[in-house]
Amino acid sequence: MGKVGFIFDLDGVIVDTAKYHYLAWKKLANELGFEFSKEQNELFKGVSRKRCLEILLDIGKVKATQAQFDTWMVEKNVDYLNYIEDMNASEILPDVPRVLDYLKKENIPIALGSASKNAKPILEKVNLVSYFDSIVDGNSVTKAKPDPEVFLIAANNLGVAASSCVVFEDAVAGIQAANSAKMTSIGIGDSNILNEADYNFKDFTEISDSFLASILNKNYKK
Ligand code: B16
Ligand code: MG
């Protein structure tokens, strides 16, 4: 077995920042004169900020000049940063620290692979930066998920073969990115939505130490 590496998505896997993204997009939609529902927000998971705004404007049938588009991108992010300003470790999703501790104890390299340009400050707020040997975020990539770039950079930074990496993801685009990088994909959330994942769990409370041990002892190859 080659050396194994683990890659965590951020939003929806480590913390539930989706609710803050939702509030910021909803505020913008309302200002532009239309509604934006929680169901529609599902389309935004794992998707880059720019693509989210394109989808939002499609939903509202709003035409934008480049200057307006750029202004709204900034406005949404300012609002989002306000919403997350007071985030702290209490917002870490259940049992994420247990899984991180388990992997650390086993000396497994760990990376973050997130589409968010705000990933590093969020990890700092929730006090998890020290677990990560590499942080690959929306500032480091040119191609958004489902392109595998973010995870391939993470594997490279960890010095682990892509086929020996295991990815935790809550978004369909993220599972597709992991699969096309030939990594083992673990869907966190609704297994009906994430049905392309190699394994599915509702959340980390369902991921036992013995499951992690079995993954570490498995011979990887897809
Ligand atoms: P930002 P992830 C993604 O994070 C979110 O799921 C997605 O909704 C968001 O639009 C994207 O980050 C960009 O975030 O505006 O902070 O750069 O799930 O890949 O960790
Ligand atoms: Mg996510």
Side-chain angles (χ1 to χ4, degrees), residues 62-125:
V62 173
K63 293 255 176 293
T65 63
Q66 189 59 50
Q68 283 172 318
F69 192 95
D70 295 345
T71 304
W72 294 335
M73 286 267 284
V74 172
E75 188 184 320
K76 183 269 169 179
N77 195 50
V78 168
D79 288 332
Y80 175 67
L81 291 176
N82 276 331
Y83 289 125
I84 64 167
E85 195 179 325
D86 296 329
M87 256 185 114
N88 59 43
S90 70
E91 300 211 34
I92 299 170
L93 290 170
D95 271 14
V96 169
R98 175 182 57 80
V99 171
L100 287 168
D101 281 332
Y102 180 92
L103 296 173
K104 270 281 163 244
K105 194 177 81 222
E106 298 291 326
N107 281 319
I108 302 299
I110 303 173
L112 190 84
S114 166
S116 175
K117 295 189 170 170
N118 299 302
K120 184 94 190 284
I122 292 171
L123 282 185
E124 279 163 358
K125 280 177 199 295

Short mmCIF file of all heavy atoms in Angstrom, two decimals, residues 62-125:
data_model
loop_
_atom_site.label_atom_id
_atom_site.label_comp_id
_atom_site.label_asym_id
_atom_site.label_seq_id
_atom_site.Cartn_x
_atom_site.Cartn_y
_atom_site.Cartn_z
N VAL A 62 -31.74 38.57 -14.38
CA VAL A 62 -31.13 39.90 -14.30
C VAL A 62 -29.94 39.94 -15.26
O VAL A 62 -29.10 39.04 -15.24
CB VAL A 62 -30.63 40.20 -12.86
CG1 VAL A 62 -29.85 41.50 -12.82
CG2 VAL A 62 -31.81 40.25 -11.90
N LYS A 63 -29.91 40.96 -16.08
CA LYS A 63 -28.76 41.16 -16.98
C LYS A 63 -27.81 42.13 -16.30
O LYS A 63 -28.24 43.13 -15.72
CB LYS A 63 -29.22 41.78 -18.30
CG LYS A 63 -30.09 40.87 -19.15
CD LYS A 63 -29.26 40.32 -20.33
CE LYS A 63 -30.06 39.33 -21.16
NZ LYS A 63 -30.36 38.09 -20.42
N ALA A 64 -26.52 41.84 -16.36
CA ALA A 64 -25.56 42.71 -15.66
C ALA A 64 -24.45 43.14 -16.59
O ALA A 64 -24.02 42.37 -17.46
CB ALA A 64 -24.96 41.95 -14.49
N THR A 65 -23.99 44.36 -16.41
CA THR A 65 -22.76 44.77 -17.09
C THR A 65 -21.60 44.15 -16.30
O THR A 65 -21.77 43.71 -15.16
CB THR A 65 -22.59 46.30 -17.06
OG1 THR A 65 -22.47 46.71 -15.68
CG2 THR A 65 -23.78 47.01 -17.70
N GLN A 66 -20.44 44.15 -16.90
CA GLN A 66 -19.27 43.61 -16.20
C GLN A 66 -19.03 44.36 -14.89
O GLN A 66 -18.72 43.76 -13.85
CB GLN A 66 -18.03 43.69 -17.10
CG GLN A 66 -16.81 42.96 -16.55
CD GLN A 66 -17.06 41.47 -16.33
OE1 GLN A 66 -17.55 40.77 -17.20
NE2 GLN A 66 -16.75 40.98 -15.13
N ALA A 67 -19.22 45.69 -14.95
CA ALA A 67 -18.97 46.50 -13.74
C ALA A 67 -19.95 46.13 -12.63
O ALA A 67 -19.57 45.99 -11.46
CB ALA A 67 -19.09 47.99 -14.08
N GLN A 68 -21.23 45.94 -13.00
CA GLN A 68 -22.22 45.54 -11.98
C GLN A 68 -21.88 44.17 -11.41
O GLN A 68 -21.93 43.96 -10.20
CB GLN A 68 -23.62 45.47 -12.61
CG GLN A 68 -24.26 46.83 -12.81
CD GLN A 68 -25.55 46.70 -13.61
OE1 GLN A 68 -25.63 45.93 -14.59
NE2 GLN A 68 -26.56 47.44 -13.20
N PHE A 69 -21.51 43.27 -12.32
CA PHE A 69 -21.16 41.90 -11.90
C PHE A 69 -20.05 41.95 -10.86
O PHE A 69 -20.14 41.33 -9.79
CB PHE A 69 -20.73 41.09 -13.13
CG PHE A 69 -20.62 39.61 -12.88
CD1 PHE A 69 -21.67 38.75 -13.18
CD2 PHE A 69 -19.46 39.07 -12.33
CE1 PHE A 69 -21.58 37.38 -12.94
CE2 PHE A 69 -19.36 37.71 -12.10
CZ PHE A 69 -20.42 36.86 -12.40
N ASP A 70 -19.02 42.73 -11.16
CA ASP A 70 -17.87 42.81 -10.25
C ASP A 70 -18.28 43.42 -8.90
O ASP A 70 -17.84 42.96 -7.84
CB ASP A 70 -16.74 43.65 -10.88
CG ASP A 70 -16.17 42.97 -12.12
OD1 ASP A 70 -16.43 41.76 -12.32
OD2 ASP A 70 -15.48 43.65 -12.90
N THR A 71 -19.12 44.45 -8.95
CA THR A 71 -19.59 45.10 -7.72
C THR A 71 -20.37 44.11 -6.86
O THR A 71 -20.17 44.03 -5.64
CB THR A 71 -20.53 46.29 -8.07
OG1 THR A 71 -19.82 47.16 -8.93
CG2 THR A 71 -20.98 47.04 -6.84
N TRP A 72 -21.25 43.34 -7.49
CA TRP A 72 -22.08 42.40 -6.73
C TRP A 72 -21.25 41.26 -6.14
O TRP A 72 -21.54 40.77 -5.06
CB TRP A 72 -23.22 41.87 -7.62
CG TRP A 72 -24.19 42.95 -8.00
CD1 TRP A 72 -24.43 44.10 -7.31
CD2 TRP A 72 -25.02 42.99 -9.16
NE1 TRP A 72 -25.37 44.86 -7.96
CE2 TRP A 72 -25.76 44.22 -9.10
CE3 TRP A 72 -25.25 42.15 -10.25
CZ2 TRP A 72 -26.68 44.59 -10.06
CZ3 TRP A 72 -26.18 42.52 -11.23
CH2 TRP A 72 -26.88 43.73 -11.13
N MET A 73 -20.21 40.84 -6.86
CA MET A 73 -19.29 39.82 -6.32
C MET A 73 -18.67 40.32 -5.02
O MET A 73 -18.59 39.60 -4.03
CB MET A 73 -18.14 39.56 -7.30
CG MET A 73 -18.52 38.76 -8.51
SD MET A 73 -18.22 37.02 -8.26
CE MET A 73 -16.43 37.00 -8.45
N VAL A 74 -18.22 41.58 -5.05
CA VAL A 74 -17.58 42.16 -3.86
C VAL A 74 -18.60 42.32 -2.75
O VAL A 74 -18.37 41.96 -1.59
CB VAL A 74 -16.92 43.52 -4.21
CG1 VAL A 74 -16.43 44.22 -2.95
CG2 VAL A 74 -15.78 43.34 -5.20
N GLU A 75 -19.79 42.85 -3.11
CA GLU A 75 -20.83 43.08 -2.11
C GLU A 75 -21.22 41.79 -1.40
O GLU A 75 -21.33 41.76 -0.17
CB GLU A 75 -22.06 43.69 -2.81
CG GLU A 75 -23.12 44.15 -1.84
CD GLU A 75 -24.36 44.66 -2.56
OE1 GLU A 75 -24.23 45.33 -3.60
OE2 GLU A 75 -25.47 44.35 -2.08
N LYS A 76 -21.42 40.74 -2.18
CA LYS A 76 -21.78 39.46 -1.57
C LYS A 76 -20.69 39.00 -0.60
O LYS A 76 -20.99 38.53 0.51
CB LYS A 76 -22.02 38.40 -2.66
CG LYS A 76 -22.48 37.05 -2.12
CD LYS A 76 -21.35 36.12 -1.83
CE LYS A 76 -21.75 34.89 -1.06
NZ LYS A 76 -20.63 33.99 -0.80
N ASN A 77 -19.45 39.16 -1.00
CA ASN A 77 -18.38 38.67 -0.13
C ASN A 77 -18.25 39.51 1.14
O ASN A 77 -17.99 38.97 2.21
CB ASN A 77 -17.05 38.63 -0.88
CG ASN A 77 -16.03 37.79 -0.14
OD1 ASN A 77 -16.32 36.66 0.26
ND2 ASN A 77 -14.85 38.34 0.10
N VAL A 78 -18.47 40.82 1.02
CA VAL A 78 -18.43 41.69 2.21
C VAL A 78 -19.52 41.23 3.19
O VAL A 78 -19.28 41.07 4.39
CB VAL A 78 -18.59 43.17 1.82
CG1 VAL A 78 -18.84 44.03 3.06
CG2 VAL A 78 -17.36 43.66 1.06
N ASP A 79 -20.72 40.98 2.67
CA ASP A 79 -21.81 40.52 3.54
C ASP A 79 -21.47 39.18 4.15
O ASP A 79 -21.69 38.95 5.35
CB ASP A 79 -23.12 40.42 2.74
CG ASP A 79 -23.67 41.80 2.40
OD1 ASP A 79 -23.40 42.75 3.16
OD2 ASP A 79 -24.35 41.93 1.36
N TYR A 80 -20.94 38.27 3.34
CA TYR A 80 -20.58 36.94 3.83
C TYR A 80 -19.55 37.06 4.95
O TYR A 80 -19.68 36.42 6.01
CB TYR A 80 -20.04 36.10 2.67
CG TYR A 80 -19.52 34.74 3.08
CD1 TYR A 80 -20.39 33.75 3.55
CD2 TYR A 80 -18.16 34.43 3.00
CE1 TYR A 80 -19.92 32.50 3.92
CE2 TYR A 80 -17.68 33.19 3.37
CZ TYR A 80 -18.57 32.23 3.83
OH TYR A 80 -18.10 30.99 4.21
N LEU A 81 -18.53 37.89 4.74
CA LEU A 81 -17.49 38.06 5.76
C LEU A 81 -18.08 38.62 7.05
O LEU A 81 -17.65 38.26 8.15
CB LEU A 81 -16.36 38.96 5.24
CG LEU A 81 -15.50 38.34 4.13
CD1 LEU A 81 -14.47 39.34 3.63
CD2 LEU A 81 -14.80 37.07 4.61
N ASN A 82 -19.09 39.48 6.92
CA ASN A 82 -19.77 39.98 8.13
C ASN A 82 -20.47 38.85 8.87
O ASN A 82 -20.40 38.75 10.08
CB ASN A 82 -20.81 41.05 7.77
CG ASN A 82 -20.15 42.41 7.63
OD1 ASN A 82 -19.14 42.67 8.27
ND2 ASN A 82 -20.72 43.26 6.80
N TYR A 83 -21.15 37.98 8.08
CA TYR A 83 -21.86 36.87 8.73
C TYR A 83 -20.91 35.91 9.45
O TYR A 83 -21.28 35.33 10.46
CB TYR A 83 -22.70 36.09 7.70
CG TYR A 83 -23.91 36.84 7.19
CD1 TYR A 83 -24.10 37.02 5.82
CD2 TYR A 83 -24.86 37.36 8.06
CE1 TYR A 83 -25.20 37.71 5.33
CE2 TYR A 83 -25.97 38.05 7.57
CZ TYR A 83 -26.13 38.22 6.21
OH TYR A 83 -27.22 38.89 5.74
N ILE A 84 -19.73 35.71 8.88
CA ILE A 84 -18.83 34.71 9.50
C ILE A 84 -17.86 35.33 10.51
O ILE A 84 -17.05 34.61 11.10
CB ILE A 84 -18.02 33.91 8.44
CG1 ILE A 84 -17.07 34.82 7.65
CG2 ILE A 84 -18.93 33.11 7.53
CD1 ILE A 84 -16.04 34.03 6.83
N GLU A 85 -17.99 36.63 10.72
CA GLU A 85 -17.01 37.32 11.56
C GLU A 85 -16.85 36.67 12.94
O GLU A 85 -15.74 36.50 13.44
CB GLU A 85 -17.39 38.79 11.72
CG GLU A 85 -16.25 39.61 12.25
CD GLU A 85 -16.59 41.08 12.38
OE1 GLU A 85 -17.35 41.59 11.53
OE2 GLU A 85 -16.10 41.68 13.34
N ASP A 86 -17.97 36.28 13.54
CA ASP A 86 -17.91 35.76 14.91
C ASP A 86 -17.87 34.24 14.98
O ASP A 86 -18.09 33.65 16.04
CB ASP A 86 -19.12 36.26 15.72
CG ASP A 86 -19.09 37.76 15.86
OD1 ASP A 86 -17.97 38.32 15.89
OD2 ASP A 86 -20.17 38.39 15.91
N MET A 87 -17.58 33.58 13.85
CA MET A 87 -17.51 32.12 13.88
C MET A 87 -16.45 31.65 14.85
O MET A 87 -15.39 32.26 14.97
CB MET A 87 -17.08 31.62 12.49
CG MET A 87 -18.19 31.04 11.69
SD MET A 87 -17.48 30.37 10.19
CE MET A 87 -17.82 28.68 10.48
N ASN A 88 -16.73 30.53 15.52
CA ASN A 88 -15.71 29.97 16.41
C ASN A 88 -15.80 28.44 16.38
O ASN A 88 -16.60 27.88 15.63
CB ASN A 88 -15.85 30.52 17.83
CG ASN A 88 -17.22 30.20 18.40
OD1 ASN A 88 -17.73 29.09 18.24
ND2 ASN A 88 -17.83 31.19 19.03
N ALA A 89 -15.00 27.80 17.23
CA ALA A 89 -14.89 26.34 17.18
C ALA A 89 -16.22 25.62 17.44
O ALA A 89 -16.36 24.45 17.07
CB ALA A 89 -13.83 25.87 18.18
N SER A 90 -17.19 26.33 18.03
CA SER A 90 -18.48 25.68 18.29
C SER A 90 -19.20 25.35 16.97
O SER A 90 -20.16 24.59 16.97
CB SER A 90 -19.36 26.56 19.17
OG SER A 90 -19.79 27.69 18.43
N GLU A 91 -18.74 25.95 15.87
CA GLU A 91 -19.41 25.70 14.58
C GLU A 91 -18.77 24.56 13.78
O GLU A 91 -19.18 24.28 12.65
CB GLU A 91 -19.43 26.98 13.75
CG GLU A 91 -20.18 28.06 14.50
CD GLU A 91 -20.90 29.03 13.61
OE1 GLU A 91 -21.40 28.64 12.55
OE2 GLU A 91 -20.94 30.22 14.00
N ILE A 92 -17.77 23.92 14.36
CA ILE A 92 -17.20 22.74 13.69
C ILE A 92 -18.26 21.64 13.72
O ILE A 92 -18.90 21.40 14.75
CB ILE A 92 -15.92 22.26 14.42
CG1 ILE A 92 -14.87 23.37 14.39
CG2 ILE A 92 -15.39 20.98 13.78
CD1 ILE A 92 -13.68 23.08 15.29
N LEU A 93 -18.46 20.96 12.62
CA LEU A 93 -19.51 19.94 12.54
C LEU A 93 -19.14 18.73 13.42
O LEU A 93 -17.95 18.44 13.63
CB LEU A 93 -19.75 19.55 11.08
CG LEU A 93 -20.43 20.68 10.29
CD1 LEU A 93 -20.44 20.39 8.78
CD2 LEU A 93 -21.86 20.92 10.78
N PRO A 94 -20.17 18.03 13.94
CA PRO A 94 -19.95 16.96 14.92
C PRO A 94 -18.95 15.90 14.45
O PRO A 94 -19.02 15.44 13.31
CB PRO A 94 -21.34 16.34 15.09
CG PRO A 94 -22.28 17.42 14.73
CD PRO A 94 -21.60 18.26 13.69
N ASP A 95 -18.05 15.55 15.34
CA ASP A 95 -17.06 14.47 15.18
C ASP A 95 -15.96 14.74 14.16
O ASP A 95 -15.12 13.87 13.93
CB ASP A 95 -17.75 13.13 14.87
CG ASP A 95 -18.09 12.39 16.16
OD1 ASP A 95 -18.05 13.02 17.23
OD2 ASP A 95 -18.38 11.17 16.09
N VAL A 96 -15.94 15.92 13.57
CA VAL A 96 -14.81 16.27 12.68
C VAL A 96 -13.49 16.25 13.46
O VAL A 96 -12.52 15.64 13.01
CB VAL A 96 -15.04 17.63 11.98
CG1 VAL A 96 -13.78 18.12 11.28
CG2 VAL A 96 -16.20 17.51 10.99
N PRO A 97 -13.44 16.85 14.67
CA PRO A 97 -12.17 16.81 15.42
C PRO A 97 -11.73 15.37 15.75
O PRO A 97 -10.54 15.07 15.73
CB PRO A 97 -12.48 17.60 16.70
CG PRO A 97 -13.59 18.51 16.30
CD PRO A 97 -14.43 17.71 15.33
N ARG A 98 -12.69 14.50 16.05
CA ARG A 98 -12.31 13.11 16.35
C ARG A 98 -11.62 12.47 15.14
O ARG A 98 -10.59 11.80 15.27
CB ARG A 98 -13.55 12.28 16.73
CG ARG A 98 -13.22 10.79 16.93
CD ARG A 98 -14.44 9.95 17.26
NE ARG A 98 -15.50 10.03 16.28
CZ ARG A 98 -15.53 9.36 15.12
NH1 ARG A 98 -14.53 8.56 14.79
NH2 ARG A 98 -16.54 9.50 14.29
N VAL A 99 -12.18 12.68 13.96
CA VAL A 99 -11.60 12.08 12.76
C VAL A 99 -10.23 12.70 12.47
O VAL A 99 -9.26 11.99 12.16
CB VAL A 99 -12.56 12.21 11.56
CG1 VAL A 99 -11.90 11.80 10.26
CG2 VAL A 99 -13.82 11.38 11.81
N LEU A 100 -10.12 14.02 12.62
CA LEU A 100 -8.82 14.67 12.40
C LEU A 100 -7.80 14.15 13.41
O LEU A 100 -6.65 13.85 13.04
CB LEU A 100 -8.96 16.20 12.53
CG LEU A 100 -9.68 16.91 11.39
CD1 LEU A 100 -10.01 18.35 11.77
CD2 LEU A 100 -8.82 16.90 10.12
N ASP A 101 -8.20 14.01 14.67
CA ASP A 101 -7.28 13.49 15.70
C ASP A 101 -6.84 12.07 15.37
O ASP A 101 -5.67 11.72 15.53
CB ASP A 101 -7.96 13.50 17.08
CG ASP A 101 -7.95 14.89 17.69
OD1 ASP A 101 -7.05 15.68 17.38
OD2 ASP A 101 -8.87 15.19 18.48
N TYR A 102 -7.78 11.26 14.91
CA TYR A 102 -7.46 9.87 14.56
C TYR A 102 -6.38 9.84 13.46
O TYR A 102 -5.39 9.12 13.56
CB TYR A 102 -8.72 9.13 14.10
CG TYR A 102 -8.45 7.69 13.73
CD1 TYR A 102 -8.58 6.67 14.67
CD2 TYR A 102 -8.02 7.34 12.43
CE1 TYR A 102 -8.29 5.35 14.34
CE2 TYR A 102 -7.73 6.03 12.09
CZ TYR A 102 -7.87 5.04 13.05
OH TYR A 102 -7.58 3.74 12.72
N LEU A 103 -6.60 10.65 12.43
CA LEU A 103 -5.66 10.65 11.30
C LEU A 103 -4.29 11.18 11.74
O LEU A 103 -3.25 10.66 11.33
CB LEU A 103 -6.22 11.49 10.14
CG LEU A 103 -7.52 10.94 9.54
CD1 LEU A 103 -8.09 11.93 8.52
CD2 LEU A 103 -7.28 9.58 8.87
N LYS A 104 -4.30 12.21 12.57
CA LYS A 104 -3.03 12.77 13.09
C LYS A 104 -2.27 11.70 13.87
O LYS A 104 -1.06 11.54 13.72
CB LYS A 104 -3.31 13.97 14.00
CG LYS A 104 -3.34 15.28 13.28
CD LYS A 104 -1.92 15.80 12.99
CE LYS A 104 -1.92 16.87 11.93
NZ LYS A 104 -1.25 16.61 10.71
N LYS A 105 -3.02 11.00 14.71
CA LYS A 105 -2.41 9.95 15.55
C LYS A 105 -1.75 8.88 14.66
O LYS A 105 -0.72 8.31 14.99
CB LYS A 105 -3.50 9.33 16.43
CG LYS A 105 -3.01 8.48 17.58
CD LYS A 105 -4.19 7.99 18.40
CE LYS A 105 -4.82 6.81 17.77
NZ LYS A 105 -5.94 6.30 17.51
N GLU A 106 -2.34 8.64 13.50
CA GLU A 106 -1.81 7.64 12.56
C GLU A 106 -0.77 8.25 11.62
O GLU A 106 -0.33 7.59 10.67
CB GLU A 106 -2.95 7.03 11.73
CG GLU A 106 -3.99 6.28 12.53
CD GLU A 106 -3.45 4.99 13.14
OE1 GLU A 106 -2.60 4.34 12.49
OE2 GLU A 106 -3.87 4.64 14.26
N ASN A 107 -0.42 9.52 11.84
CA ASN A 107 0.57 10.21 10.99
C ASN A 107 0.18 10.31 9.54
O ASN A 107 1.03 10.22 8.64
CB ASN A 107 1.93 9.53 11.09
CG ASN A 107 2.64 9.92 12.35
OD1 ASN A 107 2.59 11.09 12.72
ND2 ASN A 107 3.23 8.94 13.01
N ILE A 108 -1.10 10.48 9.29
CA ILE A 108 -1.61 10.58 7.92
C ILE A 108 -1.57 12.05 7.50
O ILE A 108 -2.07 12.92 8.22
CB ILE A 108 -3.08 10.08 7.85
CG1 ILE A 108 -3.17 8.64 8.35
CG2 ILE A 108 -3.66 10.24 6.46
CD1 ILE A 108 -2.37 7.64 7.55
N PRO A 109 -0.97 12.36 6.34
CA PRO A 109 -0.99 13.75 5.89
C PRO A 109 -2.42 14.20 5.52
O PRO A 109 -3.20 13.43 4.96
CB PRO A 109 -0.07 13.77 4.67
CG PRO A 109 0.08 12.36 4.26
CD PRO A 109 -0.23 11.48 5.43
N ILE A 110 -2.71 15.44 5.88
CA ILE A 110 -4.08 15.97 5.71
C ILE A 110 -4.03 17.29 4.94
O ILE A 110 -3.21 18.16 5.24
CB ILE A 110 -4.74 16.23 7.08
CG1 ILE A 110 -4.75 14.95 7.93
CG2 ILE A 110 -6.16 16.76 6.93
CD1 ILE A 110 -5.22 15.17 9.36
N ALA A 111 -4.91 17.43 3.95
CA ALA A 111 -4.99 18.69 3.20
C ALA A 111 -6.43 19.20 3.20
O ALA A 111 -7.39 18.43 3.37
CB ALA A 111 -4.54 18.48 1.76
N LEU A 112 -6.56 20.50 2.98
CA LEU A 112 -7.86 21.08 2.71
C LEU A 112 -7.96 21.27 1.21
O LEU A 112 -7.00 21.72 0.57
CB LEU A 112 -8.01 22.43 3.41
CG LEU A 112 -9.43 22.98 3.38
CD1 LEU A 112 -10.23 22.37 4.53
CD2 LEU A 112 -9.47 24.49 3.46
N GLY A 113 -9.11 20.94 0.63
CA GLY A 113 -9.33 21.15 -0.80
C GLY A 113 -10.68 21.84 -0.97
O GLY A 113 -11.70 21.18 -1.09
N SER A 114 -10.66 23.17 -0.94
CA SER A 114 -11.92 23.93 -0.93
C SER A 114 -11.98 24.92 -2.08
O SER A 114 -10.96 25.46 -2.51
CB SER A 114 -12.01 24.70 0.40
OG SER A 114 -13.01 25.69 0.34
N ALA A 115 -13.19 25.17 -2.57
CA ALA A 115 -13.39 26.19 -3.61
C ALA A 115 -13.38 27.60 -3.04
O ALA A 115 -13.30 28.58 -3.78
CB ALA A 115 -14.73 25.94 -4.30
N SER A 116 -13.42 27.70 -1.71
CA SER A 116 -13.59 29.02 -1.10
C SER A 116 -12.29 29.81 -1.04
O SER A 116 -11.25 29.29 -0.66
CB SER A 116 -14.14 28.87 0.32
OG SER A 116 -14.17 30.14 0.94
N LYS A 117 -12.40 31.09 -1.37
CA LYS A 117 -11.25 31.99 -1.23
C LYS A 117 -11.11 32.45 0.22
O LYS A 117 -10.15 33.12 0.57
CB LYS A 117 -11.42 33.20 -2.16
CG LYS A 117 -11.38 32.80 -3.63
CD LYS A 117 -11.33 33.98 -4.56
CE LYS A 117 -11.05 33.47 -5.97
NZ LYS A 117 -11.19 34.46 -7.00
N ASN A 118 -12.08 32.11 1.05
CA ASN A 118 -12.05 32.50 2.46
C ASN A 118 -11.67 31.33 3.37
O ASN A 118 -11.86 31.40 4.59
CB ASN A 118 -13.42 33.03 2.88
CG ASN A 118 -13.81 34.27 2.09
OD1 ASN A 118 -13.10 35.27 2.10
ND2 ASN A 118 -14.93 34.21 1.37
N ALA A 119 -11.15 30.25 2.79
CA ALA A 119 -10.94 29.02 3.56
C ALA A 119 -9.97 29.22 4.73
O ALA A 119 -10.26 28.79 5.86
CB ALA A 119 -10.45 27.90 2.64
N LYS A 120 -8.84 29.86 4.46
CA LYS A 120 -7.81 29.98 5.51
C LYS A 120 -8.34 30.76 6.72
O LYS A 120 -8.24 30.26 7.85
CB LYS A 120 -6.56 30.63 4.91
CG LYS A 120 -5.38 30.76 5.83
CD LYS A 120 -4.41 29.59 5.71
CE LYS A 120 -3.35 29.59 6.81
NZ LYS A 120 -2.29 30.57 6.59
N PRO A 121 -8.94 31.96 6.53
CA PRO A 121 -9.46 32.66 7.72
C PRO A 121 -10.53 31.87 8.46
O PRO A 121 -10.62 31.95 9.68
CB PRO A 121 -10.04 33.97 7.16
CG PRO A 121 -9.89 33.91 5.69
CD PRO A 121 -8.95 32.81 5.34
N ILE A 122 -11.31 31.06 7.73
CA ILE A 122 -12.34 30.27 8.43
C ILE A 122 -11.67 29.20 9.30
O ILE A 122 -12.01 29.02 10.47
CB ILE A 122 -13.33 29.64 7.42
CG1 ILE A 122 -14.17 30.74 6.77
CG2 ILE A 122 -14.23 28.61 8.10
CD1 ILE A 122 -15.03 30.29 5.62
N LEU A 123 -10.66 28.51 8.74
CA LEU A 123 -9.95 27.50 9.55
C LEU A 123 -9.31 28.14 10.77
O LEU A 123 -9.24 27.53 11.84
CB LEU A 123 -8.88 26.80 8.71
CG LEU A 123 -9.33 25.72 7.74
CD1 LEU A 123 -8.11 25.08 7.09
CD2 LEU A 123 -10.18 24.66 8.43
N GLU A 124 -8.82 29.37 10.59
CA GLU A 124 -8.22 30.08 11.73
C GLU A 124 -9.28 30.37 12.79
O GLU A 124 -9.06 30.15 13.98
CB GLU A 124 -7.55 31.37 11.26
CG GLU A 124 -6.17 31.11 10.68
CD GLU A 124 -5.63 32.27 9.85
OE1 GLU A 124 -6.33 33.29 9.67
OE2 GLU A 124 -4.49 32.12 9.35
N LYS A 125 -10.44 30.85 12.35
CA LYS A 125 -11.50 31.18 13.31
C LYS A 125 -11.92 29.97 14.13
O LYS A 125 -12.20 30.08 15.32
CB LYS A 125 -12.75 31.72 12.58
CG LYS A 125 -12.65 33.18 12.16
CD LYS A 125 -13.89 33.58 11.38
CE LYS A 125 -13.68 34.82 10.56
NZ LYS A 125 -13.44 36.02 11.35
#
